[in-house]
C-alpha cells in the first residue's frame, strides 16, 4: 500500500516505468509460443492434451464417400468436430497428412506413396497430376550404381517437392526372401548390403531436394498374405544379419527423416508396438534420431505404440480418444506422449510446407522422364545372347512384335507402388521411335483380343490402384507365326507380369509361364528359326520367374523389369545397341520354385482360435537367403546373383591388398579393362569367404561393389574397396555380439558370385568382438534353422 502523503516526481516517474514494464510482461506472458520462433518444448507446454493426442495421430483419409464404405477404411476418416476434420489436406489425392494447430504456428504436413513415383490419385478437387513413373526398385538395384541412384533420387525429389508433398513413403527395402512376395518389385534385393546401399543413395538423392522420406517396412515384412496378422518368427542371428542389416546401413548412410514400422508381428509382438525394435535397436544402438510412423492402420494398441516409440499413428484418427483417456487414467505417461510430439514437431520444422515453399504443381517433367529412361537402361539385364543376336544387326529393319505386353507395358506395380502418369511408352512405340517397322495388323489383332478378353468389373480399389486384371496371353497360331516370319527380320515375344500390395503372387501362370505363353514361344521360334531369323524374349516383369524350362528356345533374353514411363524407349535403347546393357541380378533366379530355400515356410500356416495372430511363418532357412543358400548348398540356379551379360568383354587383373594381416581394415584395388569392341560398363563385386569358426557361415557373402564408368575399347579403370572389421563379423547369439573369427579370409573379386576373376587372402590373428549389442528380439520358440554341415 502506498502512503497517502505527496510523492516526489522522481518516484512517480519510477512507478510509471515499472507499471509499464509489468504491463508489457503481462502481455508477453499471454502471447502463445510459435513453432520455429519458440523452442519446441515451449510449444509442447502450450498444447492441450487433445492437441497432443491429435498430432500423434494422422489426419485421416481424404477419400470419396463411395470409398468410405469399404471396410478396409473403417475408422480412418476424420469425424466432424475433431481437430482432424478441421485440417484440410492441401494436396488432394495423397495418402495422408498430420493435423494443423494454427494457434501455435503448426501447419499440417503431407505424406504420400510411393516407391517408384508419386501415387497421386487424380480427380480430387479437380487436380490433375502428371507424375514421373521411375523404374521399380528391383530394376534400380540391378544397376549397382550409387551415383545413378542418387541422381534418380534428385529427379524423384523434384516431383515430390513441386507437387507439395513433404514426406515420401519410400523407398521400400524389405529383403526379397521369396520370389512370390507380391511387393518384391518395390524392394531392392535378397542381399542386405546391396539393399541398404542402394536405399541410402536413393534417400540422399530425394532428401537433397529438401523433402523427406520414410524407409519401410521395418521389419521382416516379407510377404503380403495376412500381412496385418502374420507372426514372423525369426532367429536373432537371421534378424540381425539379413532383415535388419539393410535398414541399419540405410539409416546410418542417409539419415532418413522417417522410418515406417511394418504391419506384421515380429517374434510375437507387432513391430509398431515393439520397444526393443523401435527404441533399443533403431534409436539407441543405431543412433537414429528421426521420426517413426506406423503403416496405415497397423498395430492394435495405440498406447503400446506410443510407449514403443512409434511417434505417429497413421492414418488415424480413431485413436485420439484412446490416447487421451490413457493419459488421464495413468496408463500412458504424458512425458512419453510429449516425446513423440517433440519428434513430430522436429520433423515439421524441416519440411517445405513449414518453410512456406510455394510448390508449383509443375515439376520438371521432361528432365525427370529423361532420368527415368536413363536409369531404366542402366538396370536392365541381358540374360542370354546366343550368336550375338543382340544388339540388332544393321540389316534388321523390321520387327514382328508378339505378346500382350508388347502393346500394353507394365511400367510399374500396383497398390501403393502404382503411379498415374500423363503418358507411357509401350514397346511398339519405342521400336517405332527407334526407326523400326512393325506390323499394324498384328497390333490391331492384339488390341482386339485384349479388349474382348479383359476381365469385367473388378474391385474398385484395385482398379484405382493399378491392379485391374488384364486379358490372358493371346495364343500365337502356327499360321500367324509363319506369316510374320515371312515378312519381318526378327521377332520379339514379351512376357508380362504384375503384382502389388495386399496379395502375393501365384505359382501357376505367374512364377511359371502359362501354357499359352510356352506354346507361343515354341511356335514363334520354330517359324522364325526355320527361315534363319532370330527371336528375342523381353521380360517386362516385377519379380523373379521360372526360365529354365524355355530359355533354350529364344536366341536372346532381355530382362527389362518394370522400367517406368519411358519403358518402350528404354528397351529399344538396349535392343538397338544405343545403350550397352550393364545391369546385374540383385536376386537369384532358381531353376524351379522347389529350389527356393523358404519354399516350405512361405507364406506360413494359418493359426486357429487367435483373434490377433491368424498366420505364423517361421524362417527356418535362417541366414541362408538367396545366394547364401544356393552357393553354400551347391544348388545350381538358372541365373546366379550378380549375373548379367554385356555387348563387350572385360578382364580383371592386378588385385592388390594393402596388407595380408588384418589390423582394423584392409584396402584393395583391382584393374578392369574393356577388351571388347564397343564401350561398356562393368559391375565389380567383392565377396568374402570366412574361415571355419564357432558359427556356421555361408560360402561367400557380398562385402562391396562398384560400377565402372563407360569404358571405351581398350580403356582400363582401377577400382578401390575397403574391408573393415564389421565385414568380417557374424552375429553370435550367445554373446549378443558381432564376432570375427581368427583365420584365413579369402577375397573374391568377380562379375557374379559364380564368375570370380581374382582372389587373394589375408589373416586375422585373434578372435575379435567387433560390437556388443543388447540381447533383444528373441523368438518365442526355438527355430530349427538350416545349418551348413560343411562348417561343422
Amino acid at each position: 500500500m502506498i502512503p497517502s502523503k505527496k510523492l516526489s516526481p522522481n518516484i512517480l516517474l519510477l512507478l510509471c516505468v515499472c507499471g509499464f514494464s509489468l504491463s508489457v510482461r503481462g502481455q508477453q506472458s499471454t502471447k502463445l509460443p510459435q513453432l520455429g520462433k519458440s523452442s519446441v518444448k515451449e510449444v509442447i507446454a502450450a498444447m492441450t492434451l487433445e492437441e497432443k493426442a491429435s498430432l500423434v495421430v494422422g489426419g485421416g483419409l481424404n477419400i470419396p464417400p463411395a470409398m468410405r464404405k469399404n471396410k478396409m477404411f473403417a475408422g480412418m476418416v476424420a469425424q466432424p468436430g475433431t481437430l482432424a476434420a478441421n485440417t484440410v489436406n492441401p494436396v488432394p489425392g495423397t495418402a495422408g497428412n498430420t493435423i494443423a494447430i494454427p494457434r501455435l504456428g503448426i501447419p499440417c504436413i503431407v505424406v504420400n506413396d510411393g516407391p517408384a513415383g508419386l501415387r497421386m490419385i487424380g480427380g480430387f478437387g479437380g487436380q490433375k497430376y502428371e507424375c514421373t513413373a521411375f523404374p521399380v526398385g528391383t530394376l534400380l538395384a540391378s544397376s549397382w550404381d550409387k551415383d545413378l541412384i542418387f541422381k534418380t533420387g534428385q529427379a524423384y525429389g523434384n516431383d515430390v517437392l513441386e507437387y507439395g508433398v513433404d514426406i515420401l513413403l519410400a523407398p521400400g527395402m524389405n529383403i526379397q526372401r521369396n520370389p512370390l512376395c507380391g511387393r518384391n518389385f518395390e524392394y531392392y534385393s535378397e542381399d542386405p548390403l546391396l539393399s541398404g546401399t542402394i536405399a541410402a543413395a536413393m534417400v540422399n538423392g530425394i532428401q537433397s531436394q529438401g523433402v523427406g522420406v520414410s524407409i519401410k517396412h521395418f521389419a521382416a515384412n516379407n510377404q503380403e498374405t495376412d500381412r496385418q496378422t502374420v507372426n514372423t518368427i525369426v532367429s536373432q542371428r537371421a534378424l540381425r544379419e539379413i532383415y535388419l542389416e539393410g535398414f541399419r546401413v540405410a539409416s546410418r548412410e542417409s539419415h532418413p527423416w522417417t522410418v515406417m514400422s511394418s504391419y506384421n508381428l515380429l517374434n510375437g509382438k507387432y513391430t509398431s508396438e515393439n520397444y526393443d525394435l523401435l527404441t533399443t535397436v533403431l534409436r539407441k544402438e543405431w543412433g537414429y534420431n528421426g521420426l517413426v510412423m506406423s503403416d496405415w492402420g497397423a498395430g492394435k494398441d495405440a498406447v503400446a505404440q506410443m510407449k514403443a516409440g512409434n511417434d505417429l499413428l497413421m492414418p488415424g484418427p480413431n485413436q485420439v480418444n484412446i490416447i487421451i483417456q490413457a493419459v488421464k487414467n495413468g496408463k500412458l505417461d504424458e512425458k512419453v506422449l510429449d516425446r513423440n510430439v517433440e519428434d513430430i514437431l522436429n520433423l515439421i520444422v524441416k519440411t517445405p510446407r513449414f518453410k512456406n515453399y510455394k510448390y508449383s504443381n509443375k515439376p520438371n517433367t521432361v528432365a525427370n522422364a529423361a532420368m527415368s529412361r536413363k536409369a531404366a537402361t542402366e538396370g536392365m539385364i541381358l540374360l542370354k545372347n546366343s550368336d550375338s543376336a543382340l544388339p540388332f544387326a544393321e540389316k534388321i529393319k523390321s520387327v514382328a512384335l508378339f505378346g500382350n505386353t508388347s502393346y500394353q507395358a507394365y511400367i510399374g506395380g500396383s497398390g501403393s507402388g502404382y503411379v498415374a502418369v500423363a503418358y507411357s511408352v509401350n514397346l511398339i512405340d519405342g521400336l517405332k521411335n527407334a526407326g523400326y517397322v512393325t506390323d499394324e495388323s498384328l497390333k490391331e489383332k492384339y488390341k482386339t483380343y485384349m479388349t474382348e478378353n479383359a476381365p469385367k468389373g473388378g474391385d474398385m480399389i484395385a482398379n484405382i490402384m493399378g491392379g485391374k486384371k488384364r486379358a490372358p496371353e493371346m495364343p500365337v497360331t502356327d499360321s500367324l507365326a509363319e506369316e510374320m516370319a515371312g515378312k519381318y527380320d526378327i521377332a520379339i515375344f514379351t512376357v508380362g507380369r504384375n503384382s502389388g500390395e495386399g496379395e502375393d503372387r501365384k505359382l501357376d501362370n505367374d512364377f511359371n509361364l502359362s501354357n499359352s505363353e510356352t506354346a507361343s514361344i515354341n511356335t514363334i521360334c520354330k517359324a522364325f528359326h526355320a527361315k534363319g531369323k532370330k527371336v528375342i524374349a523381353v521380360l517386362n516383369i516385377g519379380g523373379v520367374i521360372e526360365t529354365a524350362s524355355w530359355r533354350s528356345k529364344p536366341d536372346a533374353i532381355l530382362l527389362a523389369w518394370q522400367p517406368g514411363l519411358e519403358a518402350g524407349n528404354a528397351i529399344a535403347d538396349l535392343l538397338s545397341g544405343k545403350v550397352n546393357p550393364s545391369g546385374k541380378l540383385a536376386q537369384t533366379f532358381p531353376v524351379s520354385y522347389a529350389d527356393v530355400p523358404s519354399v516350405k515356410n512361405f507364406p506360413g500356416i494359418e493359426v486357429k482360435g487367435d483373434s490377433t495372430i491368424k498366420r505364423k511363418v517361421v524362417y527356418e532357412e535362417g541366414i541362408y537367403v538367396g545366394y547364401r543358400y544356393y552357393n553354400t548348398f551347391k544348388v545350381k540356379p538358372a541365373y546366379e546373383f550378380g549375373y548379367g551379360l554385356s555387348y563387350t568383354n572385360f578382364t580383371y587383373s592386378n588385385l592388390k591388398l594393402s596388407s595380408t594381416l588384418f589390423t582394423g581394415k584392409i584396402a584393395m584395388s583391382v584393374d578392369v579393362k574393356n577388351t571388347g569392341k564397343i564401350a561398356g560398363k562393368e559391375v565389380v563385386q567383392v565377396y568374402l569367404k570366412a574361415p571355419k569358426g564357432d558359427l556356421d557361415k555361408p560360402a561367400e557373402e557380398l562385402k562391396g561393389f562398384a560400377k565402372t564408368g563407360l569404358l571405351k575399347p581398350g580403356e582400363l579403370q582401377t577400382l578401390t574397396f575397403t574391408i573393415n572389421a564389421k565385414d568380417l563379423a557374424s552375429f553370435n547369439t550367445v554373446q549378443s555380439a558381432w564376432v570375427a573369427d581368427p583365420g584365413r579370409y579369402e577375397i573374391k573379386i568377380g562379375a557374379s558370385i559364380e564368375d570370380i576373376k581374382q582372389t587373394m587372402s589375408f589373416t586375422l590373428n585373434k578372435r575379435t568382438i567387433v560390437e556388443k549389442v543388447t540381447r533383444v528380439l528373441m523368438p518365442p520358440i526355438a527355430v530349427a534353422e538350416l545349418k551348413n554341415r560343411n562348417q561343422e
Side-chain angles (χ1 to χ4, degrees):
M1 182 176 177
I2 300 176
S4 58
K5 65 180 181 179
K6 188 176 181 180
L7 299 175
S8 71
N10 288 339
I11 293 176
L12 285 173
L13 177 60
L14 178 62
L15 290 173
C16 288
V17 169
C18 290
F20 176 76
S21 176
L22 290 170
S23 174
V24 170
R25 287 183 182 179
Q27 292 175 23
Q28 288 178 336
S29 66
T30 60
K31 186 177 181 180
L32 294 172
Q34 298 293 297
L35 185 63
K37 297 179 180 178
S38 308
S39 72
V40 167
K41 291 190 182 297
E42 287 175 323
V43 173
I44 294 173
M47 295 175 70
T48 66
L49 179 56
E50 181 186 8
E51 288 171 335
K52 293 176 184 178
S54 298
L55 187 62
V56 298
V57 170
L61 293 179
N62 178 22
I63 55 178
M67 292 175 64
R68 297 178 188 182
K69 298 177 182 178
N70 191 302
K71 63 180 181 180
M72 70 181 289
F73 300 129
M76 296 184 181
V77 179
Q79 299 302 307
T82 62
L83 292 175
N86 292 337
T87 300
V88 177
N89 186 330
V91 188
T94 50
N97 59 276
T98 60
I99 69 158
I101 308 176
R103 74 185 190 90
L104 299 175
I106 303 172
C108 81
I109 60 171
V110 176
V111 302
N112 198 34
D113 304 312
L118 279 173
R119 185 203 54 76
M120 310 285 275
I121 300 177
F124 287 78
Q127 178 65 53
K128 182 180 179 181
Y129 301 105
E130 296 181 357
C131 299
T132 307
F134 293 92
V136 297
T138 297
L139 184 151
L140 294 178
S142 300
S143 74
W144 299 64
D145 189 334
K146 293 184 288 185
D147 292 338
L148 174 84
I149 303 306
F150 178 82
K151 292 174 182 176
T152 304
Q154 288 180 308
Y156 196 169
N158 174 250
D159 264 24
V160 175
L161 177 66
E162 294 302 337
Y163 276 129
V165 174
D166 298 287
I167 305 294
L168 176 70
L169 306 175
M173 51 178 301
N174 291 104
I175 293 297
Q176 295 177 353
R177 173 180 179 252
N178 185 286
L180 298 188
C181 174
R183 296 181 82 171
N184 274 351
F185 72 95
E186 297 185 29
Y187 307 145
Y188 291 125
S189 177
E190 66 190 31
D191 181 79
L193 173 65
L194 181 56
S195 178
T197 304
I198 295 297
M202 175 60 75
V203 171
N204 283 328
I206 294 171
Q207 292 190 165
S208 72
Q209 303 304 295
V211 293
V213 306
S214 190
I215 60 174
K216 63 184 187 181
H217 310 86
F218 191 62
N221 182 180
N222 308 107
Q223 66 186 65
E224 289 299 288
T225 303
D226 293 326
R227 60 180 179 169
Q228 291 183 290
T229 54
V230 64
N231 185 16
T232 298
I233 298 177
V234 56
S235 73
Q236 290 170 283
R237 183 181 179 191
L239 192 59
R240 292 279 189 173
E241 291 191 17
I242 305 296
Y243 299 102
L244 296 183
E245 180 63 9
F247 286 97
R248 186 192 69 84
V249 171
S251 67
R252 288 189 171 179
E253 292 186 4
S254 63
H255 307 290
W257 288 9
T258 82
V259 172
M260 182 187 292
S261 57
S262 55
Y263 279 125
N264 56 289
L265 297 94
L266 175 59
N267 289 336
K269 184 177 291 186
Y270 281 109
T271 61
S272 62
E273 300 173 11
N274 195 321
Y275 179 89
D276 285 335
L277 178 68
L278 303 184
T279 298
T280 303
V281 173
L282 179 62
R283 297 186 187 280
K284 294 182 179 179
E285 290 184 8
W286 298 354
Y288 178 72
N289 60 5
L291 175 139
V292 175
M293 71 171 73
S294 73
D295 205 338
W296 269 226
K300 296 291 183 183
D301 187 337
V303 175
Q305 289 173 305
M306 289 287 99
K307 291 179 178 178
N310 198 115
D311 305 298
L312 178 61
L313 312 186
M314 294 296 291
N318 60 333
Q319 300 102 325
V320 174
N321 289 332
I322 295 172
I323 294 171
I324 290 174
Q325 290 305 314
V327 172
K328 288 182 176 179
N329 62 28
K331 292 183 178 179
L332 176 63
D333 190 332
E334 192 165 359
K335 291 181 180 178
V336 172
L337 180 61
D338 289 350
R339 177 200 65 196
N340 296 345
V341 169
E342 183 175 359
D343 286 343
I344 296 172
L345 295 180
N346 284 332
L347 172 68
I348 290 174
V349 297
K350 296 196 293 186
T351 61
R353 184 153 281 99
F354 181 80
K355 296 175 181 178
N356 293 313
Y357 181 80
K358 306 301 180 184
Y359 60 91
S360 66
N361 278 330
K362 294 180 180 179
N364 195 339
T365 53
V366 174
N368 295 345
M371 189 66 234
S372 176
R373 177 174 177 173
K374 177 175 174 56
T377 63
E378 294 283 333
M380 292 184 188
I381 302 166
L382 186 61
L383 295 179
K384 179 183 178 180
N385 196 22
S386 298
D387 195 26
S388 299
L390 291 175
F392 289 161
E394 287 187 18
K395 65 179 182 179
I396 302 298
K397 306 296 182 184
S398 60
V399 182
L401 201 53
F402 298 95
N404 295 7
T405 318
S406 296
Y407 302 94
Q408 192 175 6
Y410 285 113
I411 65 173
S414 62
S416 61
Y418 173 70
V419 184
V421 293
Y423 74 92
S424 62
V425 182
N426 293 315
L427 180 53
I428 186 172
D429 303 314
L431 290 170
K432 287 179 179 179
N433 293 340
Y436 296 99
V437 175
T438 60
D439 192 281
E440 286 299 313
S441 65
L442 186 56
K443 172 185 174 181
E444 290 304 315
K445 186 183 293 290
Y446 270 99
K447 287 182 65 177
T448 300
Y449 171 85
M450 289 189 288
T451 300
E452 292 178 350
N453 291 276
K456 302 297 187 292
D459 180 76
M460 177 178 66
I461 305 301
N463 291 343
I464 290 175
M465 304 284 273
K468 186 175 183 179
K469 303 298 182 184
R470 296 187 183 181
E473 185 62 45
M474 185 186 89
V476 177
T477 62
D478 290 339
S479 59
L480 178 60
E482 289 168 4
E483 177 190 353
M484 294 297 112
K487 293 180 179 180
Y488 292 91
D489 299 330
I490 199 166
I492 292 177
F493 181 82
T494 304
V495 176
R497 290 291 184 273
N498 199 34
S499 63
E501 187 174 8
E503 183 179 10
D504 287 318
R505 297 171 59 202
K506 304 294 189 292
L507 192 58
D508 295 334
N509 304 322
D510 190 349
F511 179 82
N512 296 324
L513 296 195
S514 67
N515 292 336
S516 177
E517 288 171 321
T518 302
S520 293
I521 290 173
N522 291 337
T523 299
I524 295 164
C525 289
K526 180 181 177 182
F528 275 77
H529 289 167
K531 294 187 178 297
K533 298 177 179 179
K534 293 182 169 64
V535 177
I536 313 300
V538 173
L539 307 185
N540 179 197
I541 60 180
V544 171
I545 65 171
E546 187 274 330
T547 59
S549 67
W550 57 269
R551 62 181 173 175
S552 63
K553 301 295 173 54
D555 300 279
I557 303 174
L558 177 66
L559 176 52
W561 295 119
Q562 292 173 335
L565 81 173
E566 287 282 330
N569 286 333
I571 295 171
D573 286 343
L574 272 74
L575 296 174
S576 66
K578 181 179 179 180
V579 176
N580 189 347
S582 60
K584 304 271 189 170
L585 286 176
Q587 56 288 114
T588 306
F589 272 55
V591 169
S592 71
Y593 182 66
D595 291 339
V596 174
S598 59
V599 66
K600 293 187 296 184
N601 299 285
F602 183 92
I605 59 174
E606 291 187 47
V607 176
K608 304 294 185 182
D610 192 314
S611 60
T612 298
I613 301 172
K614 295 184 179 179
R615 183 171 292 272
K616 178 177 74 173
V617 56
V618 183
Y619 287 15
E620 291 185 331
E621 72 278 4
I623 61 171
Y624 293 105
V625 178
Y627 73 85
R628 285 170 169 80
Y629 168 76
Y630 296 101
N631 231 38
T632 303
F633 293 90
K634 302 188 185 328
V635 178
K636 183 67 176 176
Y639 298 106
E640 74 271 16
F641 181 81
Y643 173 86
L645 302 176
S646 171
Y647 295 152
T648 190
N649 300 302
F650 300 93
T651 60
Y652 293 56
S653 63
N654 201 27
L655 175 60
K656 296 179 180 178
L657 301 185
S658 60
S659 173
T660 57
L661 180 64
F662 189 88
T663 57
K665 66 173 58 175
I666 282 183
M668 69 187 74
S669 63
V670 66
D671 295 339
V672 180
K673 184 178 182 180
N674 182 351
T675 56
K677 297 180 180 180
I678 64 172
K681 300 178 181 180
E682 174 71 334
V683 173
V684 178
Q685 301 154 45
V686 180
Y687 296 95
L688 185 67
K689 180 178 181 179
K692 181 180 178 180
D694 294 340
L695 304 175
D696 68 301
K697 296 183 181 182
E700 293 90 14
E701 292 184 285
L702 182 73
K703 296 300 179 182
F705 61 89
K707 196 168 191 174
T708 69
L710 184 65
L711 300 181
K712 298 176 183 177
E715 187 175 1
L716 179 147
Q717 182 176 347
T718 300
L719 298 176
T720 59
F721 305 91
T722 300
I723 296 291
N724 58 43
K726 180 67 162 51
D727 295 322
L728 276 56
S730 298
F731 188 75
N732 188 307
T733 302
V734 175
Q735 293 184 277
S736 199
W738 291 89
V739 180
D741 289 318
R744 179 176 173 269
Y745 289 79
E746 189 173 1
I747 294 287
K748 298 184 175 185
I749 306 283
S752 78
I753 192 151
E754 291 186 4
D755 188 9
I756 301 301
K757 305 290 190 179
Q758 297 264 285
T759 63
M760 287 190 75
S761 63
F762 63 86
T763 301
L764 176 66
N765 280 339
K766 63 178 182 178
R767 189 170 186 271
T768 305
I769 296 178
V770 177
E771 181 184 7
K772 289 278 289 183
V773 297
T774 312
R775 189 185 304 278
V776 292
L777 305 175
M778 290 82 74
I781 59 173
V783 181
E785 288 185 301
L786 187 63
K787 298 294 183 183
N788 175 11
R789 302 302 176 187
N790 294 328
Q791 286 270 344
E792 295 181 353

